Amino acid sequence: MKIGILTYHDAVNYGAVLQAYALQKVLESMDADTVILDYSKPARPQPLKTKISAVLKFPVHNKTSREFARFRSSYLTLTAPITGHKQLTDEISKTDAVIVGSDQVFNPRLNCADPAYFLNLPVSEKTKKYSYAASFGRYDFTPEEETLISSLEDFDAVSVRETEGISAARRFTGCPVKKCLDPVLLLAASQWKSCADISLSSSYPEYVLLYLVGMHDQMIYETARLTAQKYGCPVLWISDSTKIKKGIHVLHSCSPQQFIGLMMGAKAIVTNSFHATAFSVIFRRPYDVDIENAGLKHNNRSEDLLLSLKLPLKCTDSEPDWDNAHLALDEQRRHSLDYLQDICKRRLP
């Protein structure tokens, strides 16, 4: 069976590229002929402040982009670059099934309301339409966004990542809706270790790892410093930022493999990122997850994951029950793999 994956694989974002890698690896283990559709979502308009910041960070960010390009070239099976909806439609029509996801592929504000991610395209009728662990990211849809999302009614089956996404998806589709794990959680720690690069992490005997995405509370830097003080080690911050933060050492241009290695070796992880939270769980590392972001944006994605595993939002002060959490994770993993197996074996509608 030939399966095409439509996701945010080309973002310079660790979670985005690693979830694409994990989903492809799992499908290939099920003997599916799998290819990632090399299509890029439209670029969002950026405010002047963001553009200026991008110019200042360009030398560092350019090096980071090259690291991501090397990872994609080595670890992902891609189609030729796709430009435009017609070419994307043609590529999808060559497959037996297309899977949209994971990540926030159902967030219209993140993908500039691109109909491609809702498969609102004249795709061949023989191609089945599915999503896997897709996330809406937010649920305050405009009427125009609701019209776009209603394209889900043409999907053969829908899988979402968060509990809240189940009721949202059911508003727009009559097909089955199932909650599944983010693809990074489908791989065990041993599988991630096989592609980890420990060249950076091994340079530091012990460290607290800081990783941030998007908007964040400035107090999170102090949280990282206090956590490091508790463990008696430095703070390492994975970032392309050119800002200097007292007591925090910035690691520029880390490759995705180095990101895995740093997550694996950390004494503790301080983050507001869903995927950093997921890797904290995979490697059983103490974590402090910023859920509220000082009211800037509620981190419902990380919260949903931790609650589903009966884990606290913070565990740098006491050891959580990792064994029970991983029993729950194993059960969710089985359900998620069953869904993908049903797609590969053509057992879904």
Side-chain angles (χ1 to χ4, degrees):
M1 184 177 194
K2 182 161 186 178
I3 297 177
I5 299 172
L6 182 60
T7 188
Y8 298 154
H9 68 285
D10 64 336
V12 182
N13 176 285
Y14 297 101
V17 73
L18 292 174
Q19 63 84 20
Y21 161 77
L23 181 56
Q24 183 167 63
K25 190 170 181 64
V26 168
L27 289 170
E28 288 174 344
S29 74
M30 296 175 176
D31 295 325
D33 178 7
T34 310
V35 65
I36 293 175
L37 300 158
D38 197 7
Y39 174 81
S40 301
K41 63 184 176 70
R44 289 188 295 167
Q46 300 291 345
L48 181 60
K49 183 179 178 181
T50 303
K51 291 179 180 178
I52 293 172
S53 175
V55 170
L56 294 174
K57 292 191 294 186
F58 177 76
V60 174
H61 189 70
N62 189 45
K63 184 179 177 184
T64 308
S65 296
R66 292 199 300 271
E67 293 290 351
F68 274 76
R70 278 192 282 270
F71 179 88
R72 285 189 289 268
S73 176
S74 299
Y75 288 90
L76 303 185
T77 303
L78 304 168
T79 64
I82 297 171
T83 56
H85 289 169
K86 184 183 185 307
Q87 190 177 357
L88 177 61
T89 301
D90 291 343
E91 288 294 332
I92 291 175
S93 296
K94 295 176 185 177
T95 66
D96 298 302
V98 59
I99 297 176
V100 182
S102 178
D103 224 334
Q104 294 185 55
V105 286
F106 287 169
N107 186 342
R109 290 184 203 173
L110 195 61
N111 59 35
C112 298
D114 187 349
Y117 293 96
F118 300 91
L119 299 180
N120 190 0
L121 304 168
V123 175
S124 168
E125 290 185 4
K126 75 173 182 65
T127 301
K128 295 290 187 179
K129 298 180 179 180
Y130 304 109
S131 71
Y132 180 79
S135 176
F136 291 93
R138 34 165 290 280
Y139 300 92
D140 54 334
F141 307 123
T142 66
E144 292 77 15
E145 289 171 344
E146 290 198 354
T147 298
L148 177 63
I149 298 170
S150 67
S151 300
L152 293 180
E153 67 183 3
D154 292 328
F155 276 56
D156 294 284
V158 170
S159 155
V160 295
R161 195 174 65 185
E162 287 85 36
T163 303
E164 198 171 357
I166 297 174
S167 56
R170 283 177 176 161
R171 287 172 53 200
F172 300 103
T173 180
C175 72
V177 178
K178 185 173 184 177
K179 181 185 175 186
C180 291
L181 287 173
D182 186 276
V184 303
L185 291 159
L186 297 180
L187 301 185
S190 58
Q191 292 172 286
W192 285 114
K193 286 178 184 177
S194 68
C195 64
D197 179 347
I198 61 170
S199 60
L200 274 177
S201 57
S202 61
S203 301
Y204 300 88
E206 294 184 339
Y207 56 90
V208 166
L209 189 65
L210 175 64
Y211 178 64
L212 305 172
V213 294
M215 298 184 297
H216 54 270
D217 180 2
Q218 292 299 304
M219 284 301 296
I220 199 166
Y221 299 107
E222 184 61 18
T223 299
R225 282 188 283 261
L226 291 173
T227 304
Q229 185 178 357
K230 174 187 173 182
Y231 285 97
C233 59
V235 178
L236 303 184
W237 179 22
I238 299 176
S239 176
D240 283 352
S241 176
T242 54
K243 296 178 181 178
I244 297 173
K245 299 289 182 181
K246 184 179 178 181
I248 296 177
H249 180 66
V250 183
L251 297 177
H252 287 149
S253 303
C254 296
S255 69
Q257 301 95 311
Q258 289 172 328
F259 175 87
I260 298 167
L262 287 161
M263 289 282 162
M264 190 171 67
K267 288 291 290 184
I269 296 167
V270 177
T271 190
N272 66 348
S273 155
F274 170 85
H275 285 105
T277 303
F279 278 107
S280 301
V281 172
I282 291 168
F283 294 125
R284 302 185 181 219
R285 292 293 177 260
Y287 57 80
D288 191 325
V289 178
D290 187 3
I291 296 296
E292 293 299 336
N293 276 330
L296 294 170
K297 184 180 180 183
H298 189 76
N299 190 353
N300 67 305
R301 298 178 296 282
S302 294
E303 183 180 46
D304 187 79
L305 170 63
L306 295 173
L307 289 176
S308 75
L309 301 176
K310 294 183 171 56
L311 286 170
L313 304 181
K314 174 183 177 181
C315 65
T316 52
D317 295 326
S318 60
E319 185 81 0
D321 189 341
W322 285 121
D323 288 341
N324 273 339
H326 274 256
L327 285 174
L329 179 61
D330 288 342
E331 182 64 21
Q332 292 184 41
R333 187 180 285 138
R334 279 193 291 273
H335 286 305
S336 301
L337 292 172
D338 283 347
Y339 174 81
L340 290 173
Q341 192 71 258
D342 285 345
I343 289 176
C344 293
K345 300 299 182 184
R346 306 173 192 264
R347 290 196 291 255
L348 288 177

PDB file of all heavy atoms in Angstrom, residues 165-195:
ATOM      1  N   GLY A 165      -9.833  17.993  20.927  1.00  0.00           N
ATOM      2  CA  GLY A 165      -9.964  17.905  19.477  1.00  0.00           C
ATOM      3  C   GLY A 165     -11.025  16.912  19.033  1.00  0.00           C
ATOM      4  O   GLY A 165     -11.533  17.002  17.905  1.00  0.00           O
ATOM      5  N   ILE A 166     -11.387  15.953  19.893  1.00  0.00           N
ATOM      6  CA  ILE A 166     -12.393  14.955  19.527  1.00  0.00           C
ATOM      7  C   ILE A 166     -13.739  15.623  19.268  1.00  0.00           C
ATOM      8  O   ILE A 166     -14.360  15.437  18.213  1.00  0.00           O
ATOM      9  CB  ILE A 166     -12.535  13.878  20.622  1.00  0.00           C
ATOM     10  CG1 ILE A 166     -11.226  13.112  20.794  1.00  0.00           C
ATOM     11  CG2 ILE A 166     -13.672  12.909  20.266  1.00  0.00           C
ATOM     12  CD1 ILE A 166     -11.236  12.134  21.967  1.00  0.00           C
ATOM     13  N   SER A 167     -14.196  16.420  20.239  1.00  0.00           N
ATOM     14  CA  SER A 167     -15.498  17.083  20.075  1.00  0.00           C
ATOM     15  C   SER A 167     -15.460  18.099  18.946  1.00  0.00           C
ATOM     16  O   SER A 167     -16.440  18.261  18.204  1.00  0.00           O
ATOM     17  CB  SER A 167     -15.920  17.751  21.385  1.00  0.00           C
ATOM     18  OG  SER A 167     -14.935  18.665  21.827  1.00  0.00           O
ATOM     19  N   ALA A 168     -14.303  18.768  18.768  1.00  0.00           N
ATOM     20  CA  ALA A 168     -14.182  19.737  17.677  1.00  0.00           C
ATOM     21  C   ALA A 168     -14.303  19.036  16.331  1.00  0.00           C
ATOM     22  O   ALA A 168     -15.023  19.494  15.437  1.00  0.00           O
ATOM     23  CB  ALA A 168     -12.844  20.473  17.775  1.00  0.00           C
ATOM     24  N   ALA A 169     -13.608  17.906  16.175  1.00  0.00           N
ATOM     25  CA  ALA A 169     -13.646  17.180  14.900  1.00  0.00           C
ATOM     26  C   ALA A 169     -15.040  16.625  14.613  1.00  0.00           C
ATOM     27  O   ALA A 169     -15.496  16.636  13.460  1.00  0.00           O
ATOM     28  CB  ALA A 169     -12.621  16.052  14.912  1.00  0.00           C
ATOM     29  N   ARG A 170     -15.709  16.164  15.653  1.00  0.00           N
ATOM     30  CA  ARG A 170     -17.042  15.581  15.456  1.00  0.00           C
ATOM     31  C   ARG A 170     -18.070  16.612  15.009  1.00  0.00           C
ATOM     32  O   ARG A 170     -19.104  16.248  14.443  1.00  0.00           O
ATOM     33  CB  ARG A 170     -17.493  14.900  16.751  1.00  0.00           C
ATOM     34  CG  ARG A 170     -16.809  13.545  16.967  1.00  0.00           C
ATOM     35  CD  ARG A 170     -17.207  12.905  18.270  1.00  0.00           C
ATOM     36  NE  ARG A 170     -16.598  11.579  18.386  1.00  0.00           N
ATOM     37  CZ  ARG A 170     -16.448  10.930  19.535  1.00  0.00           C
ATOM     38  NH1 ARG A 170     -16.863  11.486  20.670  1.00  0.00           N
ATOM     39  NH2 ARG A 170     -15.888   9.744  19.553  1.00  0.00           N
ATOM     40  N   ARG A 171     -17.783  17.880  15.257  1.00  0.00           N
ATOM     41  CA  ARG A 171     -18.683  18.930  14.769  1.00  0.00           C
ATOM     42  C   ARG A 171     -18.666  19.015  13.253  1.00  0.00           C
ATOM     43  O   ARG A 171     -19.616  19.492  12.626  1.00  0.00           O
ATOM     44  CB  ARG A 171     -18.265  20.293  15.340  1.00  0.00           C
ATOM     45  CG  ARG A 171     -18.577  20.510  16.803  1.00  0.00           C
ATOM     46  CD  ARG A 171     -17.953  21.804  17.284  1.00  0.00           C
ATOM     47  NE  ARG A 171     -18.333  22.935  16.446  1.00  0.00           N
ATOM     48  CZ  ARG A 171     -17.663  24.082  16.388  1.00  0.00           C
ATOM     49  NH1 ARG A 171     -16.554  24.251  17.105  1.00  0.00           N
ATOM     50  NH2 ARG A 171     -18.069  25.060  15.608  1.00  0.00           N
ATOM     51  N   PHE A 172     -17.547  18.578  12.664  1.00  0.00           N
ATOM     52  CA  PHE A 172     -17.342  18.813  11.229  1.00  0.00           C
ATOM     53  C   PHE A 172     -17.345  17.542  10.384  1.00  0.00           C
ATOM     54  O   PHE A 172     -17.223  17.617   9.168  1.00  0.00           O
ATOM     55  CB  PHE A 172     -16.020  19.549  11.019  1.00  0.00           C
ATOM     56  CG  PHE A 172     -15.946  20.879  11.708  1.00  0.00           C
ATOM     57  CD1 PHE A 172     -15.230  21.033  12.890  1.00  0.00           C
ATOM     58  CD2 PHE A 172     -16.610  21.977  11.199  1.00  0.00           C
ATOM     59  CE1 PHE A 172     -15.165  22.254  13.526  1.00  0.00           C
ATOM     60  CE2 PHE A 172     -16.552  23.203  11.834  1.00  0.00           C
ATOM     61  CZ  PHE A 172     -15.834  23.345  13.004  1.00  0.00           C
ATOM     62  N   THR A 173     -17.439  16.375  10.999  1.00  0.00           N
ATOM     63  CA  THR A 173     -17.363  15.153  10.203  1.00  0.00           C
ATOM     64  C   THR A 173     -18.288  14.093  10.764  1.00  0.00           C
ATOM     65  O   THR A 173     -18.544  14.046  11.968  1.00  0.00           O
ATOM     66  CB  THR A 173     -15.916  14.599  10.166  1.00  0.00           C
ATOM     67  OG1 THR A 173     -15.903  13.411   9.372  1.00  0.00           O
ATOM     68  CG2 THR A 173     -15.391  14.282  11.553  1.00  0.00           C
ATOM     69  N   GLY A 174     -18.773  13.244   9.891  1.00  0.00           N
ATOM     70  CA  GLY A 174     -19.618  12.135  10.316  1.00  0.00           C
ATOM     71  C   GLY A 174     -18.839  10.838  10.416  1.00  0.00           C
ATOM     72  O   GLY A 174     -19.376   9.801  10.804  1.00  0.00           O
ATOM     73  N   CYS A 175     -17.539  10.881  10.075  1.00  0.00           N
ATOM     74  CA  CYS A 175     -16.725   9.667  10.115  1.00  0.00           C
ATOM     75  C   CYS A 175     -16.201   9.436  11.537  1.00  0.00           C
ATOM     76  O   CYS A 175     -16.266  10.322  12.390  1.00  0.00           O
ATOM     77  CB  CYS A 175     -15.574   9.769   9.119  1.00  0.00           C
ATOM     78  SG  CYS A 175     -14.274  10.918   9.609  1.00  0.00           S
ATOM     79  N   PRO A 176     -15.647   8.258  11.814  1.00  0.00           N
ATOM     80  CA  PRO A 176     -15.112   7.985  13.152  1.00  0.00           C
ATOM     81  C   PRO A 176     -13.987   8.953  13.518  1.00  0.00           C
ATOM     82  O   PRO A 176     -13.186   9.342  12.666  1.00  0.00           O
ATOM     83  CB  PRO A 176     -14.579   6.549  13.030  1.00  0.00           C
ATOM     84  CG  PRO A 176     -15.284   5.971  11.854  1.00  0.00           C
ATOM     85  CD  PRO A 176     -15.539   7.097  10.915  1.00  0.00           C
ATOM     86  N   VAL A 177     -13.946   9.348  14.794  1.00  0.00           N
ATOM     87  CA  VAL A 177     -12.877  10.214  15.307  1.00  0.00           C
ATOM     88  C   VAL A 177     -12.207   9.500  16.473  1.00  0.00           C
ATOM     89  O   VAL A 177     -12.878   9.039  17.397  1.00  0.00           O
ATOM     90  CB  VAL A 177     -13.416  11.578  15.776  1.00  0.00           C
ATOM     91  CG1 VAL A 177     -12.282  12.423  16.350  1.00  0.00           C
ATOM     92  CG2 VAL A 177     -14.100  12.319  14.632  1.00  0.00           C
ATOM     93  N   LYS A 178     -10.887   9.390  16.408  1.00  0.00           N
ATOM     94  CA  LYS A 178     -10.147   8.664  17.441  1.00  0.00           C
ATOM     95  C   LYS A 178      -8.989   9.521  17.936  1.00  0.00           C
ATOM     96  O   LYS A 178      -8.333  10.206  17.154  1.00  0.00           O
ATOM     97  CB  LYS A 178      -9.614   7.346  16.868  1.00  0.00           C
ATOM     98  CG  LYS A 178      -8.926   6.451  17.887  1.00  0.00           C
ATOM     99  CD  LYS A 178      -8.596   5.094  17.274  1.00  0.00           C
ATOM    100  CE  LYS A 178      -7.995   4.162  18.300  1.00  0.00           C
ATOM    101  NZ  LYS A 178      -7.732   2.823  17.754  1.00  0.00           N
ATOM    102  N   LYS A 179      -8.743   9.479  19.232  1.00  0.00           N
ATOM    103  CA  LYS A 179      -7.585  10.169  19.795  1.00  0.00           C
ATOM    104  C   LYS A 179      -6.367   9.252  19.730  1.00  0.00           C
ATOM    105  O   LYS A 179      -6.438   8.093  20.154  1.00  0.00           O
ATOM    106  CB  LYS A 179      -7.853  10.569  21.248  1.00  0.00           C
ATOM    107  CG  LYS A 179      -6.690  11.319  21.896  1.00  0.00           C
ATOM    108  CD  LYS A 179      -6.944  11.585  23.371  1.00  0.00           C
ATOM    109  CE  LYS A 179      -5.717  12.213  24.014  1.00  0.00           C
ATOM    110  NZ  LYS A 179      -5.877  12.361  25.479  1.00  0.00           N
ATOM    111  N   CYS A 180      -5.257   9.774  19.196  1.00  0.00           N
ATOM    112  CA  CYS A 180      -4.029   8.987  19.078  1.00  0.00           C
ATOM    113  C   CYS A 180      -2.838   9.783  19.592  1.00  0.00           C
ATOM    114  O   CYS A 180      -2.866  11.009  19.660  1.00  0.00           O
ATOM    115  CB  CYS A 180      -3.779   8.582  17.623  1.00  0.00           C
ATOM    116  SG  CYS A 180      -4.949   7.369  16.969  1.00  0.00           S
ATOM    117  N   LEU A 181      -1.788   9.058  19.914  1.00  0.00           N
ATOM    118  CA  LEU A 181      -0.566   9.687  20.397  1.00  0.00           C
ATOM    119  C   LEU A 181       0.160  10.442  19.295  1.00  0.00           C
ATOM    120  O   LEU A 181       0.138  10.040  18.123  1.00  0.00           O
ATOM    121  CB  LEU A 181       0.391   8.627  20.945  1.00  0.00           C
ATOM    122  CG  LEU A 181       0.051   7.968  22.275  1.00  0.00           C
ATOM    123  CD1 LEU A 181       1.043   6.829  22.529  1.00  0.00           C
ATOM    124  CD2 LEU A 181       0.109   8.976  23.420  1.00  0.00           C
ATOM    125  N   ASP A 182       0.838  11.506  19.685  1.00  0.00           N
ATOM    126  CA  ASP A 182       1.772  12.147  18.762  1.00  0.00           C
ATOM    127  C   ASP A 182       2.791  11.098  18.304  1.00  0.00           C
ATOM    128  O   ASP A 182       3.206  10.240  19.095  1.00  0.00           O
ATOM    129  CB  ASP A 182       2.499  13.290  19.477  1.00  0.00           C
ATOM    130  CG  ASP A 182       3.387  14.088  18.536  1.00  0.00           C
ATOM    131  OD1 ASP A 182       4.548  13.662  18.300  1.00  0.00           O
ATOM    132  OD2 ASP A 182       2.923  15.120  18.026  1.00  0.00           O
ATOM    133  N   PRO A 183       3.195  11.136  17.037  1.00  0.00           N
ATOM    134  CA  PRO A 183       4.113  10.098  16.533  1.00  0.00           C
ATOM    135  C   PRO A 183       5.396   9.919  17.337  1.00  0.00           C
ATOM    136  O   PRO A 183       5.905   8.797  17.420  1.00  0.00           O
ATOM    137  CB  PRO A 183       4.423  10.575  15.105  1.00  0.00           C
ATOM    138  CG  PRO A 183       3.212  11.348  14.706  1.00  0.00           C
ATOM    139  CD  PRO A 183       2.755  12.036  15.957  1.00  0.00           C
ATOM    140  N   VAL A 184       5.954  10.997  17.934  1.00  0.00           N
ATOM    141  CA  VAL A 184       7.210  10.815  18.684  1.00  0.00           C
ATOM    142  C   VAL A 184       7.024   9.828  19.836  1.00  0.00           C
ATOM    143  O   VAL A 184       7.970   9.151  20.250  1.00  0.00           O
ATOM    144  CB  VAL A 184       7.803  12.143  19.204  1.00  0.00           C
ATOM    145  CG1 VAL A 184       8.041  13.120  18.054  1.00  0.00           C
ATOM    146  CG2 VAL A 184       6.963  12.765  20.302  1.00  0.00           C
ATOM    147  N   LEU A 185       5.792   9.728  20.344  1.00  0.00           N
ATOM    148  CA  LEU A 185       5.517   8.831  21.467  1.00  0.00           C
ATOM    149  C   LEU A 185       5.275   7.391  21.024  1.00  0.00           C
ATOM    150  O   LEU A 185       5.142   6.494  21.855  1.00  0.00           O
ATOM    151  CB  LEU A 185       4.320   9.345  22.263  1.00  0.00           C
ATOM    152  CG  LEU A 185       4.577  10.653  23.029  1.00  0.00           C
ATOM    153  CD1 LEU A 185       3.273  11.357  23.352  1.00  0.00           C
ATOM    154  CD2 LEU A 185       5.383  10.379  24.298  1.00  0.00           C
ATOM    155  N   LEU A 186       5.232   7.167  19.723  1.00  0.00           N
ATOM    156  CA  LEU A 186       5.080   5.798  19.211  1.00  0.00           C
ATOM    157  C   LEU A 186       6.401   5.035  19.240  1.00  0.00           C
ATOM    158  O   LEU A 186       6.410   3.804  19.209  1.00  0.00           O
ATOM    159  CB  LEU A 186       4.544   5.825  17.769  1.00  0.00           C
ATOM    160  CG  LEU A 186       3.156   6.433  17.578  1.00  0.00           C
ATOM    161  CD1 LEU A 186       2.777   6.396  16.101  1.00  0.00           C
ATOM    162  CD2 LEU A 186       2.107   5.714  18.418  1.00  0.00           C
ATOM    163  N   LEU A 187       7.516   5.759  19.307  1.00  0.00           N
ATOM    164  CA  LEU A 187       8.831   5.126  19.351  1.00  0.00           C
ATOM    165  C   LEU A 187       9.318   5.061  20.792  1.00  0.00           C
ATOM    166  O   LEU A 187       9.170   6.011  21.560  1.00  0.00           O
ATOM    167  CB  LEU A 187       9.843   5.906  18.502  1.00  0.00           C
ATOM    168  CG  LEU A 187       9.515   6.082  17.020  1.00  0.00           C
ATOM    169  CD1 LEU A 187      10.684   6.764  16.305  1.00  0.00           C
ATOM    170  CD2 LEU A 187       9.212   4.743  16.354  1.00  0.00           C
ATOM    171  N   ALA A 188       9.928   3.952  21.158  1.00  0.00           N
ATOM    172  CA  ALA A 188      10.460   3.774  22.506  1.00  0.00           C
ATOM    173  C   ALA A 188      11.776   4.535  22.661  1.00  0.00           C
ATOM    174  O   ALA A 188      12.401   4.939  21.668  1.00  0.00           O
ATOM    175  CB  ALA A 188      10.675   2.290  22.778  1.00  0.00           C
ATOM    176  N   ALA A 189      12.204   4.706  23.913  1.00  0.00           N
ATOM    177  CA  ALA A 189      13.452   5.425  24.190  1.00  0.00           C
ATOM    178  C   ALA A 189      14.627   4.802  23.443  1.00  0.00           C
ATOM    179  O   ALA A 189      15.492   5.512  22.908  1.00  0.00           O
ATOM    180  CB  ALA A 189      13.719   5.430  25.696  1.00  0.00           C
ATOM    181  N   SER A 190      14.670   3.464  23.381  1.00  0.00           N
ATOM    182  CA  SER A 190      15.783   2.784  22.697  1.00  0.00           C
ATOM    183  C   SER A 190      15.825   3.130  21.212  1.00  0.00           C
ATOM    184  O   SER A 190      16.913   3.227  20.617  1.00  0.00           O
ATOM    185  CB  SER A 190      15.661   1.274  22.874  1.00  0.00           C
ATOM    186  OG  SER A 190      14.412   0.808  22.359  1.00  0.00           O
ATOM    187  N   GLN A 191      14.661   3.319  20.597  1.00  0.00           N
ATOM    188  CA  GLN A 191      14.627   3.681  19.174  1.00  0.00           C
ATOM    189  C   GLN A 191      15.119   5.109  18.950  1.00  0.00           C
ATOM    190  O   GLN A 191      15.796   5.387  17.959  1.00  0.00           O
ATOM    191  CB  GLN A 191      13.205   3.510  18.639  1.00  0.00           C
ATOM    192  CG  GLN A 191      12.745   2.056  18.571  1.00  0.00           C
ATOM    193  CD  GLN A 191      11.278   1.931  18.225  1.00  0.00           C
ATOM    194  OE1 GLN A 191      10.412   2.202  19.057  1.00  0.00           O
ATOM    195  NE2 GLN A 191      10.982   1.532  17.003  1.00  0.00           N
ATOM    196  N   TRP A 192      14.783   6.002  19.873  1.00  0.00           N
ATOM    197  CA  TRP A 192      15.292   7.375  19.754  1.00  0.00           C
ATOM    198  C   TRP A 192      16.795   7.433  20.015  1.00  0.00           C
ATOM    199  O   TRP A 192      17.511   8.211  19.379  1.00  0.00           O
ATOM    200  CB  TRP A 192      14.534   8.303  20.695  1.00  0.00           C
ATOM    201  CG  TRP A 192      13.162   8.646  20.220  1.00  0.00           C
ATOM    202  CD1 TRP A 192      11.971   8.301  20.783  1.00  0.00           C
ATOM    203  CD2 TRP A 192      12.833   9.394  19.031  1.00  0.00           C
ATOM    204  NE1 TRP A 192      10.924   8.785  20.040  1.00  0.00           N
ATOM    205  CE2 TRP A 192      11.422   9.461  18.959  1.00  0.00           C
ATOM    206  CE3 TRP A 192      13.587  10.010  18.040  1.00  0.00           C
ATOM    207  CZ2 TRP A 192      10.760  10.120  17.927  1.00  0.00           C
ATOM    208  CZ3 TRP A 192      12.928  10.668  17.005  1.00  0.00           C
ATOM    209  CH2 TRP A 192      11.539  10.714  16.953  1.00  0.00           C
ATOM    210  N   LYS A 193      17.273   6.617  20.926  1.00  0.00           N
ATOM    211  CA  LYS A 193      18.708   6.619  21.229  1.00  0.00           C
ATOM    212  C   LYS A 193      19.522   6.236  20.004  1.00  0.00           C
ATOM    213  O   LYS A 193      20.661   6.681  19.839  1.00  0.00           O
ATOM    214  CB  LYS A 193      18.995   5.643  22.373  1.00  0.00           C
ATOM    215  CG  LYS A 193      18.540   6.151  23.742  1.00  0.00           C
ATOM    216  CD  LYS A 193      18.805   5.103  24.825  1.00  0.00           C
ATOM    217  CE  LYS A 193      18.265   5.583  26.176  1.00  0.00           C
ATOM    218  NZ  LYS A 193      18.448   4.553  27.236  1.00  0.00           N
ATOM    219  N   SER A 194      18.926   5.422  19.129  1.00  0.00           N
ATOM    220  CA  SER A 194      19.671   4.944  17.958  1.00  0.00           C
ATOM    221  C   SER A 194      19.981   6.067  16.973  1.00  0.00           C
ATOM    222  O   SER A 194      20.882   5.923  16.137  1.00  0.00           O
ATOM    223  CB  SER A 194      18.890   3.827  17.256  1.00  0.00           C
ATOM    224  OG  SER A 194      17.704   4.343  16.662  1.00  0.00           O
ATOM    225  N   CYS A 195      19.247   7.172  17.028  1.00  0.00           N
ATOM    226  CA  CYS A 195      19.573   8.276  16.115  1.00  0.00           C
ATOM    227  C   CYS A 195      19.984   9.540  16.876  1.00  0.00           C
ATOM    228  O   CYS A 195      20.019  10.624  16.304  1.00  0.00           O
ATOM    229  CB  CYS A 195      18.409   8.571  15.169  1.00  0.00           C
ATOM    230  SG  CYS A 195      16.894   9.148  15.941  1.00  0.00           S
TER     231      CYS A 195
END
